[in-house]
Amino acid sequence: MPQPTPPPAAGTALRGRAVPSGKGATSPPPFPPGPDGPQAPPVRRGPRLGEPPPRPHFAELPSAHDVMICVALPGLAISGEQGRLSGRGLEGFYRAGRRLLSRCEVRVAGREPLAVQARFTGADRARFVGTVCAAPGAGPDPDVVVERTRDADGTELITLRSASPRLLHLPLEVALGTDLAELGEIASGRTDREVTAAVRDSGLRWTSSALSVSVTADPPPTDALASAGLLRWEFALPPGGTASVELRVRQDGAGPVRAAGRTARGLLSDARATGDAPGIEALLRTCVDDLRGLLLRDPAHPADLHLAAGAPWRCGLAPAEALSAARMALPLGTGLAAGTLHTLARTQHPGPGPRSGMIPGPRRDSGPHLPPGCTGTEATLLFPVLLAEARRWGLPERDTRRLLPAAERCLTWLRDTVGDGTYLREPLPGGPVRCETQAHAHRAALLGADLLEAFGRPGADGLRQWAQELRTAFGKDFWAEDRSGGRPAAARTSDGRLLPHLGGAAVHLLDTGLLGGGEHAPGLLDKTRTEQLARLLGGPAMDSGWGLRGLAAREPGHNPFGHRAGAVRVPETAIALAGLAAAGHEKEAASLVRGLLAAAGAFGHRLPEMFAGEQRTEGGAPVPHPAACRPSATAAAAAVLLLTTLAGIRPDAPAGTVTLRPMRTAPAGEIGLTGLRVAGAPFSVRVSRLGLPMVEEAAEGLQLRA
């Protein structure tokens, strides 16, 4: 019987395939000094306009931390902070993982505009402003403003505005070029030289054996030179006058980019935040925009949408990350959870066999002390958890019933894989028994049992009994005693040895899941050991001041830039602060809240999936990771989790109640959240500086519980 395969991804998921993950992902050496540097002169030195840039001599992962990524999948527009598309590094317009245009350089009156401002106007659009001194002898003040608005759908609008008191005759030149390379080739430095252009109607065309791409201009250019990829216009601007040229980059025969996030605006609510903390409004707005930009449709089932993991490297479906992000984004509505669950249900392995019911997923780096882990295991355990919690937030019963059989298959796989034992082991023989996996399995068992019981399905009692046995055994088998009070071991080897290193994976022990009545499920640690874990996470070895390190600073193998060896991972930090707050450890949770909010401000409110685990210092800033996705689905959703944790929202839509248990210490001061979704209706809440909540909008009949 043929096995189902995941739907084709719109883009290329590189990490773990063409691009190495973990410690092997490094940034390229810097380019020689030139106009891309911070002290760029207004006149370009090096190749003349229309000449292709020199081919890079390195074969390392291009840096992603210093570019501006406009995202509306399957489209991307990646720009340097100067606004030019120079053909270097990642710069260019992309569609479905293919670079359609790599170079778009502008000259006005023979001069390259001096870049003066670059900013996002949305997740999918950026605006660049430059100036030119066009009139001879006009002095140091520029008399032409050049504005470039670049969109992820492959559109660029170039506008010239005259600030001169005299009529200006301005030639505008735009040099275009492309290598038509796939993102994997760009990442590995294997791109070819530019493809030769041909003149086509009102623009240029490039053709390779794989595809053909055109750039059309409105208005049509006065001149077009194919050999240099050059388009030219002549404008006469009176004082205060403007002139514009719109460029459209299209793959021939493919039609315009139809971004899922632009046609499914209602999938994620227009939530807004206000409050005392600087930037809190911009943070939520930016994260919601980023989530929309990362939305993808299942090609075979267009009604079902899910999130890509992140741009630029992971623009396809990553099951564990998609489920985790949808779970953290539940306060924005349950539609994303439903689409993600329906999409992944179609990928489940059919029976019979040991993988029956499992959701496939790639292996993932686990740091220096453990072999790569199976994200398929994590996804299979997250599936029933997301369904159970989506039901609490208001997923309609008909949708829950449709997805219940797939959740049952996940839970059956869990019980069959554990068998007569106690622990859920690695799919590969001889692998370690991971602490993190037991936390995922325990949560899935308890929330899955709750779900089965609610719909009169068998198996709930067996899952709860196994979860109890796991709690009892875990306390004896996974706690590494030491003179400071001990710690949870990261794993047990096949011969029973503990691997006691302290890392970010331990935060999943605090993420126990939401049951009915606003109560969290019990965890694998008792109260005393939860307090000890809170103390460890709040200590300087783990808390960098910006967020939690993936591996404690004093552990062997610590690397502040390691994916899971010391870098701060934003989603794990948000999960930790939510778990700490739920367990009553507000001091440690508050430190993570303040650190993550400060980091968000330093990153322009668009949080990357990770950044360097360097210790925070007075007046310092978080250090970017050159290979991090930004935007990232789990990082954007983590901001939603952070803000809703401050308000302590715990819904139970089937019971018609919502419990509010805000952080009493109010680490971000007063906060207001509007436009959330609970029980299918708008929900707004305000928490005072004293930690007192007030519901301002809710579904009719929804009862408030303290």
Side-chain angles (χ1 to χ4, degrees):
M1 180 176 179
Q3 295 185 349
T5 57
T12 308
L14 294 176
R15 201 164 287 150
R17 286 172 42 190
V19 178
S21 66
K23 296 174 287 184
T26 57
S27 61
F31 288 100
D36 289 326
Q39 304 298 322
V43 179
R44 179 153 116 62
R45 296 184 175 89
R48 292 191 300 271
L49 193 71
E51 290 184 355
R55 185 175 180 179
H57 65 277
F58 54 84
E60 298 179 358
L61 189 67
S63 172
H65 75 280
D66 56 355
V67 293
M68 299 176 66
I69 302 176
C70 300
V71 57
L73 294 180
L76 291 174
I78 304 179
S79 317
E81 293 183 351
Q82 300 291 314
R84 284 196 356 241
L85 298 184
S86 64
R88 292 174 170 171
L90 288 167
E91 294 174 12
F93 284 100
Y94 293 79
R95 177 169 178 161
R98 171 83 65 168
R99 182 156 64 184
L100 304 187
L101 189 72
S102 58
R103 190 163 52 87
C104 181
E105 299 173 295
V106 171
R107 278 194 178 182
V108 178
R111 297 177 175 85
E112 184 176 0
L114 175 66
V116 295
Q117 186 185 70
R119 67 183 184 90
F120 287 104
T121 59
D124 56 353
R125 189 173 290 114
R127 177 177 179 265
F128 305 93
V129 178
T131 60
V132 173
C133 296
D141 296 333
D143 49 14
V144 178
V145 176
V146 183
E147 179 180 312
R148 302 175 69 174
T149 302
R150 189 167 295 144
D151 196 297
D153 69 0
T155 303
E156 175 155 338
L157 181 65
I158 304 169
T159 300
L160 310 181
R161 295 202 310 270
S162 172
S164 172
R166 299 185 295 274
L167 175 70
L168 293 178
H169 292 277
L170 296 176
L172 169 65
E173 295 176 320
V174 178
L176 305 169
T178 184
D179 52 13
L180 301 180
E182 292 185 351
L183 189 54
E185 296 172 332
I186 298 165
S188 60
R190 292 184 288 106
T191 58
D192 294 323
R193 289 191 175 275
E194 289 185 353
V195 178
T196 302
V199 176
R200 177 196 178 183
D201 299 331
S202 58
L204 298 171
R205 170 188 278 174
W206 298 264
T207 302
S208 71
S209 58
L211 77 165
S212 178
V213 171
S214 297
V215 173
T216 57
D218 184 20
T222 307
D223 297 302
L225 182 60
S227 60
L230 192 67
L231 304 180
R232 193 174 188 275
W233 295 259
E234 293 283 349
F235 293 111
L237 266 62
T242 64
S244 295
V245 170
E246 184 177 68
L247 304 175
R248 291 185 175 273
V249 186
R250 294 287 184 264
Q251 181 177 337
D252 292 350
V257 173
R258 299 188 182 276
R262 292 181 176 175
T263 58
R265 298 289 297 181
L267 188 74
L268 298 169
S269 70
D270 290 312
R272 292 291 181 263
T274 58
D276 294 337
I280 200 168
E281 180 180 1
L283 174 61
L284 185 56
R285 182 181 64 250
T286 300
C287 289
V288 173
D289 283 350
D290 282 345
L291 290 172
R292 285 178 175 147
L294 291 169
L295 285 172
L296 292 171
R297 294 188 184 277
D298 182 339
H301 301 269
D304 294 333
L305 287 89
H306 60 272
L307 288 166
W313 307 120
R314 306 182 70 198
C315 292
L317 175 61
E321 284 85 349
L323 289 163
S324 179
R327 184 179 174 221
M328 291 188 284
L330 281 172
L332 304 178
T334 59
L336 175 60
T340 304
L341 291 166
H342 279 299
T343 298
L344 290 176
R346 291 187 283 270
T347 73
Q348 277 184 304
H349 286 291
R355 297 204 294 171
S356 175
M358 190 178 186
I359 295 171
R363 301 191 73 76
R364 180 173 61 198
D365 174 60
S366 297
H369 300 287
L370 289 168
C374 178
T375 62
T377 297
E378 182 179 340
T380 307
L381 299 173
L382 276 171
F383 190 103
V385 170
L386 176 57
L387 181 59
E389 291 191 337
R391 176 173 171 264
R392 296 293 173 196
W393 280 90
L395 183 68
E397 182 175 332
R398 65 181 182 277
D399 291 326
T400 309
R401 287 188 180 277
R402 286 177 60 197
L403 288 160
L404 188 59
E408 286 185 281
R409 291 192 289 272
C410 291
L411 296 169
T412 299
W413 171 84
L414 168 61
R415 293 297 290 124
D416 289 348
T417 305
V418 171
D420 296 330
T422 303
Y423 297 114
L424 181 62
R425 299 180 177 274
E426 290 289 288
L428 297 178
V433 180
R434 300 173 192 253
C435 168
E436 177 183 2
T437 302
Q438 311 319 305
H440 289 313
H442 183 260
R443 185 197 317 120
L446 291 182
L447 270 65
D450 189 59
L451 190 63
L452 295 177
E453 189 172 73
F455 288 89
R457 302 294 299 161
D461 290 342
L463 287 167
R464 290 194 181 104
Q465 180 180 347
W466 172 75
Q468 177 60 58
E469 293 170 357
L470 178 61
R471 283 197 297 275
T472 302
F474 188 90
K476 295 183 294 186
D477 295 344
F478 268 84
W479 193 259
E481 296 287 359
D482 58 34
R483 285 179 289 182
S484 65
R487 62 178 63 184
R492 288 176 63 90
T493 64
S494 57
D495 59 1
R497 291 182 297 107
L498 291 181
L499 300 178
H501 63 273
L502 179 64
V507 306
H508 296 286
L509 292 169
L510 301 170
D511 180 15
T512 61
L514 182 64
L515 294 176
E519 297 299 323
H520 284 282
L524 286 173
L525 299 180
D526 60 24
K527 182 178 179 180
T528 300
R529 288 176 172 176
T530 299
E531 290 175 353
Q532 172 65 1
L533 178 57
R535 188 184 68 80
L536 292 170
L537 295 179
M542 283 296 293
D543 185 356
S544 71
W546 304 109
L548 281 183
R549 297 182 175 94
L551 184 65
R554 300 188 184 98
E555 297 290 342
H558 171 80
N559 172 5
F561 285 91
H563 277 58
R564 284 176 169 78
V568 171
R569 299 193 62 83
V570 169
E572 286 180 353
T573 300
I575 289 169
L577 69 87
L580 288 166
H585 300 286
E586 289 206 7
K587 177 183 176 183
E588 293 81 2
S591 175
L592 296 179
V593 167
R594 288 189 287 265
L596 209 51
L597 287 176
F603 284 110
H605 312 296
R606 176 182 261 187
L607 282 163
E609 61 175 325
M610 61 182 170
F611 50 88
E614 301 283 357
Q615 191 64 39
R616 184 176 181 178
T617 58
E618 176 122 13
V623 178
H625 192 295
C629 285
R630 181 169 171 257
S632 155
T634 52
V640 179
L641 176 61
L642 183 158
L643 296 176
T644 52
T645 295
L646 292 172
I649 306 169
R650 304 181 186 182
D652 189 351
T657 65
V658 61
T659 302
L660 292 180
R661 293 183 184 168
M663 294 182 66
R664 298 296 183 183
T665 54
E670 181 174 315
I671 181 174
L673 299 172
T674 61
L676 302 177
R677 305 287 295 184
V678 175
F683 184 83
S684 301
V685 62
R686 183 167 299 278
V687 179
S688 73
R689 297 181 184 91
L690 300 176
L692 300 176
M694 177 183 295
V695 174
E696 298 180 336
E697 184 180 22
E700 186 176 352
L702 191 67
Q703 299 295 311
L704 177 64
R705 295 180 55 173

